[in-house]
Amino acid sequence: MQNLQEGERALTAAVAAAGRTRLWSHPELGLHAFVDAAGSVRLGTSDRNWAALVPLVEATATGHGRLWSGERFVETAIGDRLAYRGHETVEDGGRERTTIRLADSVTGLAADVVLETCRGAGFLRARVRLVNEGGTPLRLESVTTLTLGGIAGADDGLGGLTLHWADNDWLAECRWRRTAFRDQVVPLSRSVHGHEGRGCFERCSQGSWSTGRHLPMGALTDRDGRAWLWQIESSAGWRFETGEREGAAYVALFGPDDAHHQWHQTLAPGEEFHTVPAALVRTEAGGLDAAFGELTDYRRDIRREHPDHRTLPVIYNDYMNTLMGDPTTRKLLPLIEAAGAAGAEVFVIDAGWYDDDAQGWWDAVGAWEPARGRFPGGIQEVLDAIRGHGMTPGLWLEPEVVGVRSPLARTLPPEAFFRRGGIRVTEHGRHHLDLRHPAARAHLDSVVDRLAGEWGVGYLKLDYNINIGPGTENGPESPGSGLLGHHRAHLDWMASVLDRHPGLVLENCGSGGLRMDYAQLTVAQLQSTSDQQDLLRYPPIAAAAATAVTPEQAAVWAYPQPGHTLDEIAFTLAGALLGRVHLSGFLDRMNDDQFALVRSALRLYKDIRPEIAGARPFWPLGLPGWDDAWIAQGLRGRHSTFVTVWRRGPADGTSCELTLPHLRGARLQPSVLHPTASDSTAEWDATEAKLTVFLPRPDTAVLLRLR
C-alpha cells in the first residue's frame, strides 16, 4: 500500500492566499473537490459558480438547524461552518481512497469524508465518519453521505435537465418515472426575492421495507446524453433530494433522518457515527444506458465474492403459481423429478415446510422445525430426493420474525425483540428480532447451522414480509437509530453465515422486491424481483430489474403451466433468460411439447449464462412503462448482444424498431434463440443501427442474439 498524503501546509498557505484550491479530482467523472479561503469544501465539476456548489457535508443537530428554513436539508448551520483541516489519498492496487477531514469549531463535530473509486472507473462511493470532539453531547438529526452541486444541462441551464426516479411497490417493482426537472423544481425569480425556494424534489423510504415505496436511486440527464445517477446503500432509512441553487441543480444523499425516519443519534464526547454508503455515476454520453452500465460494474465491484455470481445455476422454487406454501412429500416428489429432468440445478422448498399448526403457520413461525404431518418419512427423504436428481436442496426462511403464538415469543428475552415505548412491537401477527441481541443471533445461528450444516441445505431464500415501522428503542435510542443498528447487525449476521458455510447461497427477498438495496446485495447472492403472478404483468418488472440489481443477481419467476399454450410458456420463460431463472409450475403435468419447450429454454440459458455474468444492461425502447405494449431489454456481453422483446396485447402493428447505436456499421445476422420453434423474425440495418423485430401474434416474446 502506498500512502500519498498531500502537503497540507502548502495547501493551507494557498487557501490563505484568498483563492480556491482543488483538493481532489476524479478524471473519469469530471468531478473535483475545492476548498475556499474560509475552509469550505465543495464538490462539483467546476468552481466557476461557487455559490451553486453545496458544502461537502450538511448536518443538522438539535440547536443547530438550517440557515434557510424549509423542506431542504442543505444550507445547514453546521455544514456552513465545517472547515477544511487536511486530506490524504491512499492507493492499494487499482483502488483509491481519499479522506477529506473537516471540523466545526462551534460544536466540536469532526467529519471525515471518504471518497472511494477504482483507477479508470466511472463511479464514486462515499461515506462520512462523524466524531464529537467537543466537550458536551451533540444530538444529530440529519447528515449527508454525499452532496454534489453545479449540475446544469447542455445549455448551462436547468431547462434541458430531465429528472428520473423509480416507484416501487408489491407486485409493481422498478417503475421508472421521468419528467422535466423544471416540472418539479419551478423557476421562482430568485433575483427578485434574494433567496432560493424552500422546497425540493425528494424521495425517501418509510419503515423497514427499504424499497417499499421507491428504489433508493435517482438520476438527472441532459439533452446531450450526459447523466448523473446515484444510489443509497441502506436497508434502514434513506432519502435523497434535488433542487435549485444559484441557477444550477444540486443533489444531496442521506441515510435516515429525524424528520422522515424518527432517527437521531446523540454523540457523547469522543463517540462517533458512520453514515450509510452512497454511490454516484456520471457519464458524458450515452444517457441512462451508459450510466446504468457503469453502476452495474460498480455493484459487481463492491459485493462479496461468491461462486454463484459466475455459475448462475437454474433454480426451481415450488411456490409461485404452484404449491403456494403447501408443500408435502407427496406433492414435492413428482415436482422434484420433473424439475431435475427439465434441467434445474437447485430445488427450493418454499414457505410451509415447518407448518404443523392447526391454526396456521403465519403467526406461529420461529422455531423452523420440519412439519411431521407434511413429511411422514421426514424432510430428509425429500432433501435426499432433490440430491438424487442432481440438484442442490434449498429452503425458505424468514429469519427476522417470530410469530406471536410461537414459544420463542415467550422464551427469548424481551430485549431480543423490537420495542417502542417499552412495549414489544407487533405487526401482522409477528414480532421482530433485534439481531444486536446475543440471544436473537444465537437462535438464528443454531437454525442456519442445523439447516446448512446437519441437513446439507445449500440455498436459503431469506424472506421479509412485514414493515415493522420506524424501528426499535433500545434504552434512550431513537427508533430510526435502532433500525439502523439492527440492519447493520443483520448484514453482519449474513456475512458470518457465509463465513461458516462458504458454499451456501443466500437469496434476498422482501415480499418480492421490497428490500432491494445494495446494502443487502453486497452480501446476498440473489434478489427476488417480484411476487407478481400474472405473466402478462411481469415483463416491465423483468425488463427494469437490471436498473436495481446486476443481471446475474436478478431472480425472475418463470412459471409455465400445463394449462398454458406454447406461446404463454415461451412468454413466461423469456423474461428470466437474461437474469436468473426462478422456474416454477407443475412441470410434472405437462405434455411432451410443453416440457420440451421448457427444457430447450433451460439448455439455451446454460449456453448464454457465462456472458450474463459480465454483461451490461441497456433498453433500446427506453425504460418500460407499466402498460407499454412493446418492451425491450438487452445485455451487451463480451462477444454478443442479447435482446428480449415482448409484445403485450393488441399492439399497434406487428413489428417494433429498436436502435442499437453500439452496433452501428456492424455486419451481422440476428438469430432467434428463444423460442426455438418461432415465427418471429428480425431484420438488421447496419447503417442506421436499426433492428426491426416482427412478432405476428399478441402476448408473445422473443430472445435474439446479435454477434
Side-chain angles (χ1 to χ4, degrees):
M1 180 179 289
Q2 181 184 10
N3 191 315
L4 303 176
Q5 185 159 352
E6 304 286 345
E8 294 172 7
R9 284 178 295 182
L11 182 59
T12 303
V15 170
R20 287 192 289 269
T21 302
R22 184 184 303 172
L23 301 177
W24 168 89
S25 293
H26 189 306
E28 286 74 24
L29 291 179
L31 288 179
H32 313 277
F34 304 96
V35 59
D36 71 359
S40 179
V41 179
R42 306 186 182 190
L43 186 67
T45 57
S46 165
D47 65 340
R48 286 179 300 172
N49 186 2
W50 177 256
L53 305 184
V54 186
L56 188 59
V57 176
E58 295 274 27
T60 61
T62 306
H64 304 269
R66 291 163 288 189
L67 300 176
W68 179 241
S69 189
E71 298 301 312
R72 303 178 180 209
F73 282 81
V74 296
E75 299 172 323
T76 64
I78 291 176
D80 187 61
R81 295 194 302 256
L82 282 170
Y84 172 81
R85 67 177 187 181
H87 76 286
E88 65 180 16
T89 297
V90 174
E91 290 188 359
D92 184 6
R95 294 181 178 274
E96 179 183 289
R97 181 174 68 254
T98 296
T99 302
I100 300 174
R101 297 187 296 278
L102 311 170
D104 173 23
S105 60
V106 174
T107 62
L109 182 67
D112 291 347
V113 183
V114 180
L115 306 175
E116 294 180 279
T117 188
C118 293
R119 189 177 297 129
F123 59 76
L124 176 69
R125 194 186 203 201
R127 63 185 190 276
V128 179
R129 172 180 173 262
L130 299 173
V131 183
N132 183 0
E133 296 181 353
T136 59
L138 184 66
R139 187 177 184 268
L140 293 171
E141 295 182 348
S142 69
V143 59
T144 56
T145 290
L146 183 65
T147 61
L148 175 67
I151 301 172
D155 57 356
D156 288 331
L158 295 176
L161 285 181
T162 299
L163 175 63
H164 309 258
W165 73 96
D167 294 337
N168 210 65
D169 198 359
W170 185 56
L171 311 181
E173 290 85 353
C174 303
R175 300 187 334 274
W176 281 85
R177 310 286 193 181
R178 57 177 291 166
T179 187
F181 182 81
R182 277 304 192 198
D183 285 348
Q184 297 291 329
V185 182
V186 298
L188 298 175
S189 302
R190 185 190 189 286
S191 60
V192 174
H193 303 98
H195 284 289
E196 303 290 1
R198 299 186 186 273
C200 59
F201 178 89
E202 67 174 4
R203 288 293 181 265
C204 64
S205 65
Q206 183 181 59
S208 58
W209 273 332
S210 59
T211 56
R213 306 170 74 187
H214 312 285
L215 295 182
M217 303 175 63
L220 292 169
T221 58
D222 72 7
R223 297 189 188 105
D224 285 353
R226 294 190 295 174
W228 296 260
L229 173 65
W230 58 86
Q231 75 173 20
I232 304 170
E233 296 157 16
S234 173
S235 294
W238 61 265
R239 176 179 172 272
F240 71 76
E241 68 175 70
T242 181
E244 182 175 2
R245 184 178 170 98
E246 295 287 348
Y250 75 89
V251 173
L253 310 181
F254 301 79
D257 65 52
D258 193 32
H260 301 86
H261 309 100
Q262 299 183 36
W263 176 89
H264 61 260
Q265 184 86 25
T266 299
L267 297 183
E271 288 186 338
E272 62 183 54
F273 171 75
H274 295 253
T275 67
V276 302
L280 174 72
V281 164
R282 179 175 182 265
T283 54
E284 280 294 323
L288 278 183
D289 280 3
F292 277 119
E294 290 287 346
L295 189 62
T296 299
D297 290 347
Y298 162 78
R299 289 165 169 170
R300 288 170 175 150
D301 181 73
I302 64 169
R303 70 192 178 194
R304 180 188 178 107
E305 178 64 25
H306 197 284
D308 182 80
H309 298 319
R310 298 184 298 275
T311 56
L312 280 60
V314 174
I315 299 150
Y316 182 96
N317 182 300
D318 68 27
Y319 187 85
M320 192 59 70
N321 293 346
T322 310
L323 299 188
M324 300 295 290
D326 187 27
T328 65
T329 300
R330 179 181 61 83
K331 294 178 180 179
L332 285 167
L333 291 180
L335 289 176
I336 291 167
E337 181 179 3
E345 295 156 301
V346 177
F347 190 103
V348 179
I349 305 171
D350 207 279
W353 60 268
Y354 39 78
D355 178 19
D356 235 353
D357 193 292
Q359 299 180 52
W361 58 265
W362 180 265
D363 59 358
V365 296
W368 309 112
E369 296 285 354
R372 294 182 181 179
R374 293 183 174 275
F375 309 106
I379 197 170
Q380 281 295 346
E381 177 187 3
V382 179
L383 300 179
D384 288 343
I386 293 170
R387 282 186 282 264
H389 285 87
M391 296 179 289
T392 298
L395 289 175
W396 180 95
L397 197 66
E398 195 170 359
E400 293 164 83
V401 301
V402 170
V404 296
R405 294 193 299 108
S406 170
L408 285 163
R410 298 182 294 276
T411 58
L412 287 174
E415 297 80 12
F417 295 94
F418 273 37
R419 295 171 298 156
R420 293 198 287 272
I423 301 169
R424 188 181 301 186
V425 180
T426 304
E427 175 72 8
H428 197 180
R430 273 100 177 272
H431 302 308
H432 196 295
L433 292 173
D434 186 340
L435 285 181
R436 295 174 296 177
H437 194 280
R441 183 154 176 164
H443 157 62
L444 290 186
D445 281 343
S446 67
V447 169
V448 171
D449 290 346
R450 171 165 44 87
L451 304 186
E454 298 174 24
W455 296 7
V457 169
Y459 185 108
L460 289 177
K461 176 179 177 178
L462 304 181
D463 211 341
Y464 186 71
N465 286 304
I466 59 171
N467 187 335
I468 202 64
T472 181
E473 299 165 341
N474 183 15
E477 74 179 352
S478 64
S481 180
L483 181 62
L484 181 58
H486 162 77
H487 146 63
R488 287 172 165 166
H490 178 231
L491 297 180
D492 183 72
W493 172 75
M494 288 199 300
S496 72
V497 166
L498 292 171
D499 288 342
R500 296 197 307 277
H501 307 283
L504 184 65
V505 174
L506 301 181
E507 176 192 340
N508 181 49
C509 181
S511 275
L514 301 188
R515 196 159 65 170
M516 187 158 42
D517 61 72
Y518 261 87
Q520 296 289 317
L521 287 167
T522 56
V523 184
Q525 284 67 63
L526 286 93
Q527 172 65 53
S528 172
T529 56
S530 187
D531 280 350
Q532 178 56 250
Q533 293 177 249
D534 185 342
L535 62 88
L536 295 178
R537 283 295 186 191
Y538 215 130
I541 302 170
T547 63
V549 56
T550 64
E552 65 272 19
Q553 290 179 281
V556 177
W557 288 105
Y559 28 63
Q561 299 292 354
H564 284 169
T565 66
L566 293 180
D567 275 351
E568 289 172 325
I569 290 175
F571 189 94
T572 188
L573 289 166
L577 295 179
L578 293 184
R580 291 300 295 275
V581 177
H582 262 202
L583 186 66
S584 196
F586 290 104
L587 307 182
D588 56 313
R589 305 177 188 177
M590 289 184 166
N591 63 38
D592 290 346
D593 290 341
Q594 293 171 323
F595 195 73
L597 181 53
V598 174
R599 289 189 64 185
S600 69
L602 297 189
R603 282 197 302 268
L604 165 67
Y605 180 76
K606 292 174 183 179
D607 286 341
I608 68 173
R609 64 186 173 185
E611 291 208 57
I612 294 174
R616 285 181 164 196
F618 68 98
W619 294 267
L621 296 176
L623 293 172
W626 187 246
D627 294 315
D628 284 357
W630 290 92
I631 293 172
Q633 187 240 330
L635 289 183
R636 292 177 59 178
R638 180 175 299 178
H639 304 293
S640 302
T641 292
F642 302 95
V643 181
T644 301
V645 182
W646 295 263
R647 176 190 170 191
R648 297 191 297 172
D652 184 16
T654 60
S655 66
C656 179
E657 188 175 87
L658 315 178
T659 302
L660 308 178
H662 69 283
L663 293 176
R664 187 180 303 277
R667 298 192 176 191
L668 50 86
Q669 179 63 44
S671 56
V672 174
L673 299 183
H674 169 81
T676 50
S678 175
D679 53 2
S680 303
T681 57
E683 297 176 356
W684 172 245
D685 183 331
T687 303
E688 299 295 326
K690 300 287 187 184
L691 178 69
T692 304
V693 180
F694 299 88
L695 293 178
R697 295 183 307 285
D699 299 332
T700 54
V702 64
L703 172 61
L704 303 162
R705 173 161 55 194
L706 302 91
R707 68 175 175 183

